Amino acid sequence: MLLLFKPTTISSPEQAVPSARYYNIGAVSAKSMAIIVVVFIGVFFRVFHFFHNRSLFIDELFLDINLIKLSFWELVAGAFMYEQKAPIGYLWVVKLCVLLLGKQEEALRLFSLLCGIGALGYFVPVARFFMKSWGVVVAVAIMALSAPCIYHASEAKQYSTELFAAVLALLFYTRYSAARHVGSFVVWGLLGALLLAFSFSVIFVLVGMAFVVCINLALKKQWNRLLLALVAFSIWAVGFALQYYFFISKYPESAWLVYFFKKENDAFMPISGSVLLTLKWLAGKFYFLFLDPLGLLLNLDGRLQALGDTNWKFFYKMGWFPAGITLWGLLVMLKKQQLMFALLLLPVVMALAASAINAYPFFERFTLVFAPGFILIAAYGLEKILLFYGDKIRVVLPALLLLLLPSLVNSVRQVITPSLLMNTEFNREVMLFVNENYREGDVVYVFWNMRQAYEFYKESYNLKYTAIEGSKVKNTARNKEEYLRRLQPDFAQFRGKKRLWFIYNDINRDAIGDFVGQPRWYHRKEFVPSTFMESYFARLGRKTKHYQHPDEPHPTAPHAADLYVLEQGAAKANNP
């Protein structure tokens, strides 16, 4: 491992690439203009989805019901509904936005938008530190056009902040790692500690960075600077310890969540089986990094779904090109820039080690914090290929097109058809449809798997109806007949009502805190809970209306509302 830290006199990775004299003024201007254009495009995509103001989806609702109901102190205490977790810095800033701007979606997403734009803007100097030539343009363009990065910038959760924290951690490295005065290292330490208040996963970036800096300085025998660096890293350690003691340690154990990530997402690296199994898992996770968070694979959804149903789908997704240049970037970097290689890869290695002991899920949004590193590696690999061919425009343009076209197509399609955006749901539309058509004397029954949507929109939109929140009794019932009997106290409240609204999610069968797939009878393929409920309500009255948003991207009807005209005032409600 120490061979990776071969003593070097290079103070920054940019010294290892050809100097600016190899590029004429026109070329430099073209690259600078290209950076401005891609940043502008990236900001446009992020702002568009913010103002499009889609409904919150289920994971946002679980967290955001806490942000609109709990006080600042209650957010510190960590007594969250739906067993949610988020860094205290993120929670307090978003809570402040709610107090200033209201309880609706824009206020909850504003900080994510600012972090998404900030990550893109500050990534420019980071990319310029590590590369020159077209590599900078490529790196910035990947982040600007990445559909997952764009999505998280308008998501009312903390993941855009995680990305911003990772970019800032690299930016602070470029500013302070070569410092020689204690004051600069103290500032670096305080800034790193502040990042930990806004991001859980940035700890991997900071700890990896600390190891790399310390080992490199030790190998160069720069003992004075090593002691100064330890000042900064000690502040990081104290900051993490304080946050863990006061906040993280208060979160409840989540064995059900570990089981969920293992069963549903294969998010933990297998180490107990064969080496081949582990290598297969690593290869799969490497490939899917180009889907999420890098967004370099073509999404074969919507009108492109037919391509995804063919044997050529992996060719159409075009993942082979970014995967190839990334592997090339790793090989060249390992040979020529070991310091940069270790700085960008060690945090990933640490996360994989944590994944192997079921301590950190390695998939999708949880890898967003490593996106800047992988983007730099991919851009570095392409830059080296372009430099080999003389950096000629007839080579540059096809290469850029081949790499970035899938990202651009994905992001443009999601502007034209916003329902193609990740995690698009229509919880708000269902709640507001019932609100608009509700009559005095109606009864509204919200199935247990839509309670979080009702609770949020009741509070934020001041819905005029007060619903019966369906009891979650599936875990105490042994079969569907007992399940129906245990729901009778809910149904008894229908008595004397003429119309029943039933609001439900047709897909979700697992509640927060439940082990996925349990109880087994509830998860049998032939048993559909919402259909079972509808068949019972059909005995109470006649269904006269069904609502599902026309842009619902799912094939069944996951978020829906039905209206029943009850017979005999629902007198039969207690007679299953």
Side-chain angles (χ1 to χ4, degrees):
M1 182 65 183
L2 290 179
L3 292 176
L4 299 181
F5 299 93
K6 191 163 49 179
T8 176
T9 58
I10 296 175
S11 60
S12 68
E14 65 184 30
Q15 294 180 14
V17 301
S19 64
R21 68 176 180 271
Y22 287 99
Y23 311 108
N24 59 52
I25 296 176
V28 173
S29 298
K31 292 161 192 168
S32 298
M33 183 58 66
I35 291 173
I36 294 172
V37 170
V38 295
V39 168
F40 177 83
I41 293 173
V43 171
F44 167 77
F45 286 141
R46 287 156 174 79
V47 171
F48 171 85
H49 290 293
F50 175 81
F51 283 108
H52 179 256
N53 193 30
R54 66 190 180 278
S55 168
L56 297 180
F57 92 107
I58 186 169
D59 286 0
E60 292 175 298
L61 290 165
F62 285 143
L63 178 63
D64 295 341
I65 188 65
N66 294 279
L67 284 163
I68 66 173
K69 284 193 172 185
L70 302 183
S71 67
F72 282 99
W73 174 247
E74 288 171 325
L75 292 173
V76 172
F80 293 106
M81 295 176 280
Y82 299 107
E83 298 191 28
Q84 293 299 287
K85 304 175 180 69
I88 189 62
Y90 170 84
L91 293 172
W92 275 12
V93 171
V94 176
K95 181 64 180 179
L96 180 62
C97 292
V98 169
L99 291 178
L100 295 176
L101 303 174
K103 297 179 178 181
Q104 296 186 349
E105 293 90 344
E106 297 95 330
L108 292 159
R109 288 171 169 152
L110 179 60
F111 187 51
S112 293
L113 175 67
L114 297 177
C115 287
I117 294 174
L120 180 57
Y122 282 107
F123 193 55
V124 175
V126 170
R128 282 177 170 157
F129 178 85
F130 289 101
M131 290 172 292
K132 287 190 180 294
S133 187
W134 285 100
V136 180
V137 179
V138 171
V140 176
I142 292 175
M143 182 173 288
L145 300 177
S146 165
C149 291
I150 293 168
Y151 162 76
H152 288 295
S154 62
E155 181 190 38
K157 293 205 73 173
Q158 68 269 27
Y159 300 109
S160 183
T161 310
E162 302 270 2
L163 175 63
F164 192 25
V167 171
L168 288 178
L170 290 172
L171 180 69
F172 298 154
Y173 169 85
T174 68
R175 299 287 175 85
Y176 297 105
S177 62
R180 298 183 179 276
H181 302 288
V182 66
S184 297
F185 283 96
V186 170
V187 172
W188 192 13
L190 293 174
L191 290 172
L194 182 62
L195 291 181
L196 290 168
F198 287 87
S199 169
F200 290 144
S201 55
V202 79
I203 187 64
F204 291 113
V205 178
L206 293 178
V207 172
M209 187 178 295
F211 271 110
V212 170
V213 170
C214 288
I215 295 175
N216 188 53
L217 291 175
L219 289 174
K220 296 194 305 187
K221 298 182 179 180
Q222 296 184 5
W223 308 116
N224 289 336
R225 287 187 60 212
L226 176 58
L227 291 175
L228 292 175
L230 289 174
V231 171
F233 305 152
S234 297
I235 296 174
W236 296 354
V238 171
F240 178 76
L242 291 174
Q243 182 176 199
Y244 184 86
Y245 178 79
F246 287 107
F247 306 118
I248 299 175
S249 63
K250 296 180 180 179
Y251 292 133
E253 294 291 331
S254 299
W256 65 272
L257 191 57
V258 173
Y259 182 77
F260 173 81
F261 287 137
K262 180 178 292 187
K263 182 176 177 62
E264 295 295 310
N265 304 116
D266 193 21
F268 300 115
M269 184 170 70
I271 55 175
S272 58
S274 66
V275 175
L276 184 61
L277 179 65
T278 302
L279 292 176
K280 181 179 178 181
W281 185 91
L282 288 170
K285 292 302 178 183
F286 174 74
Y287 176 80
F288 281 107
L289 285 172
F290 300 104
L291 174 65
D292 189 352
L294 302 189
L296 289 170
L297 272 61
L298 183 64
N299 293 337
L300 301 180
D301 53 5
R303 294 184 178 182
L304 300 181
Q305 182 63 51
L307 297 178
D309 297 332
T310 70
N311 294 330
W312 290 84
K313 63 181 180 181
F314 291 107
F315 176 80
Y316 294 135
K317 285 177 176 289
M318 298 178 66
W320 42 271
F321 186 69
I325 64 169
T326 302
L327 290 172
W328 178 250
L330 284 170
L331 291 174
V332 177
M333 197 179 294
L334 178 60
K335 180 179 179 180
K336 296 186 175 181
Q337 294 204 44
Q338 294 88 355
L339 180 61
M340 181 178 174
F341 179 91
L343 183 71
L344 300 180
L345 264 294
L346 187 56
V348 179
V349 172
M350 295 174 62
L352 290 172
S355 171
I357 59 172
N358 296 346
Y360 190 79
F362 195 89
F363 87 107
E364 293 183 357
R365 61 190 180 274
F366 298 103
T367 60
L368 196 66
V369 71
F370 309 117
F374 280 109
I375 289 173
L376 290 171
I377 294 168
Y380 181 86
L382 184 57
E383 180 182 73
K384 293 306 176 185
I385 294 173
L386 295 178
L387 287 173
F388 177 80
Y389 286 101
D391 210 12
K392 297 175 182 178
I393 198 69
R394 66 174 181 269
V395 178
V396 170
L397 288 181
L400 293 180
L401 188 65
L402 198 58
L403 177 66
L404 300 174
L405 184 60
S407 297
L408 182 61
V409 170
N410 292 339
S411 297
V412 170
R413 292 179 69 225
Q414 290 172 358
V415 167
I416 296 172
T417 309
S419 62
L420 293 177
L421 194 70
M422 292 169 56
N423 296 325
T424 295
E425 294 182 354
F426 293 92
N427 296 284
R428 178 185 62 204
E429 288 74 11
V430 171
M431 296 297 164
L432 294 184
F433 176 83
V434 174
N435 196 59
E436 292 167 2
N437 293 275
Y438 176 83
R439 298 178 187 172
E440 189 69 27
D442 287 358
V443 61
V444 180
Y445 185 72
V446 177
F447 200 40
W448 69 264
N449 60 14
M450 285 288 280
R451 288 178 61 169
Q452 66 284 342
Y454 167 71
E455 290 168 2
F456 177 86
Y457 285 108
K458 175 70 173 176
E459 181 79 14
S460 62
Y461 279 72
N462 194 27
L463 302 178
K464 61 187 178 184
Y465 59 87
T466 299
I468 300 169
E469 298 187 47
S471 300
K472 195 192 76 175
V473 296
K474 66 184 183 70
N475 293 338
T476 57
R478 291 168 295 182
N479 51 54
K480 62 183 180 180
E481 290 78 19
E482 183 180 351
Y483 178 64
L484 189 60
R485 287 196 299 271
R486 290 181 178 274
L487 287 174
Q488 290 308 306
D490 289 354
F491 302 156
Q493 301 175 66
F494 301 170
R495 190 175 293 115
K497 304 296 183 180
K498 294 184 177 181
R499 303 201 314 169
L500 164 67
W501 289 97
F502 176 43
I503 300 175
Y504 58 95
N505 180 314
D506 206 29
I507 293 179
N508 182 29
R509 302 191 187 196
D510 296 300
I512 289 289
D514 286 355
F515 282 86
V516 64
Q518 299 297 324
R520 290 184 179 179
W521 69 265
Y522 194 82
H523 290 263
R524 288 175 181 164
K525 187 176 182 180
E526 64 272 15
F527 178 74
V528 181
S530 58
T531 302
F532 178 71
M533 298 293 288
E534 288 181 279
S535 65
Y536 177 72
F537 293 148
R539 293 159 51 188
L540 307 182
R542 176 171 51 90
K543 184 163 74 170
T544 60
K545 188 172 293 187
H546 171 81
Y547 173 78
Q548 176 195 1
H549 192 276
D551 291 334
E552 183 71 70
H554 301 292
T556 51
H559 312 94
D562 294 337
L563 175 64
Y564 294 84
V565 176
L566 301 177
E567 299 174 358
Q568 302 176 17
K572 295 182 287 184
N574 286 319
N575 299 297

